[in-house]
Every structure is written in C-alpha cells, then in structure tokens.
Amino acid sequence: MKNGFVLLAVATALLLTGCGTSEKPAGSYRQVSQSDAAAMMERETDYILLDVRTQEEYAQGHIPGAICVPNETIGSDEIPQLPDKDQLILVYCRSGNRSKQAAEKLGKLGYTNIVEFGGILSWTGETVSGSEG
C-alpha cells in the first residue's frame, strides 16, 4: 500500500509540473554570444540594434544601424524609439554590464523578444563613429 501511495504522489507531482504557464517571467531575456548576435543581424530583417551606453560613448563608436537609448534613461515610462514590444531587440553596451541591466528593465516593461550580447569592447565587427546610426 505504501508503494502505491508513493507512486501516486510521484505521478501527481509530474502531472502538476506540466500545468505551469509557458510565459516568460517579467524581466527575462536571452543572452547570446557576439558571433550568434552577428549571425542574427545577418539573418533577421526586422530588429532593433540597441546601444545602451551614454550618447557620448555612442558617438565615439557604435555598431552600424544601432540606436542609442542610455540604460540610465530606461525606467517605467514607454520608450518612443521602441514602439513594438514584440520586435526583436539586440542589446549591447561597453562591457556587458549595462546591457544586462537594460535587458532586464525592458523585460519588466513588457518587451518580449530581447537578446543581450555583451559589450562593444570585444566586438570584432564593423563600428562607426558619430551621433547617427
């Protein structure tokens, strides 16, 4: 009888674990390598490349096509430069710290397709300078 009870308890536990939601928790994002991010930029067409460093850092050098929304400005307000919360957003900064913070904040704001890939310090692809993307 005891073995039957244990078996029933294990089966119930297994069934209940399948009843969870498949939604990602608020603040969630994917982290990928820079080579994976570069491949995504080649493969995808409708994405935003987001540099979360300061405007001054951005002007010194950034990945072509990136827009600048400094991490410090991301809070609880809507972000006009990011109107589509389901659009793929590839996030980077200088070393990878601020991009992780920004990716988490974006997730909490309801953005659903955030990919963080570290910092421009180790970026081997092209960069441009100036304040335009």
Side-chain angles (χ1 to χ4, degrees):
M1 188 72 169
K2 185 176 178 184
N3 287 341
F5 178 75
V6 171
L7 184 60
L8 179 62
V10 169
T12 302
L14 288 173
L15 287 172
L16 290 176
T17 58
C19 295
T21 177
S22 63
E23 283 187 34
K24 294 191 283 184
S28 67
Y29 61 92
R30 288 186 296 151
Q31 188 173 11
V32 299
S33 69
Q34 290 195 347
S35 59
D36 287 345
M40 291 173 84
M41 289 178 216
E42 298 241 344
R43 183 178 63 242
E44 302 291 333
T45 56
D46 187 29
Y47 66 87
I48 290 179
L49 183 56
L50 183 63
D51 186 322
V52 296
R53 298 174 299 154
T54 66
Q55 190 66 48
E56 294 77 23
E57 289 173 298
Y58 175 84
Q60 290 173 0
H62 56 273
I63 301 171
I67 63 168
C68 181
V69 178
N71 178 44
E72 296 75 24
T73 67
I74 301 172
S76 58
D77 295 335
E78 295 296 313
I79 303 169
Q81 301 94 317
L82 306 174
D84 183 355
K85 292 196 175 187
D86 296 321
Q87 186 174 22
L88 173 59
I89 302 172
L90 299 163
V91 185
Y92 74 94
C93 65
R94 185 181 71 83
S95 65
N97 185 40
R98 285 178 283 178
S99 57
K100 288 177 184 62
Q101 293 171 6
E104 188 168 322
K105 290 193 275 185
L106 290 170
K108 288 179 180 173
L109 286 172
Y111 291 89
T112 62
N113 198 5
I114 309 156
V115 175
E116 188 275 331
F117 66 96
I120 197 168
L121 287 178
S122 55
W123 181 251
T124 59
E126 182 183 1
T127 60
V128 295
S129 59
S131 58
E132 296 299 314

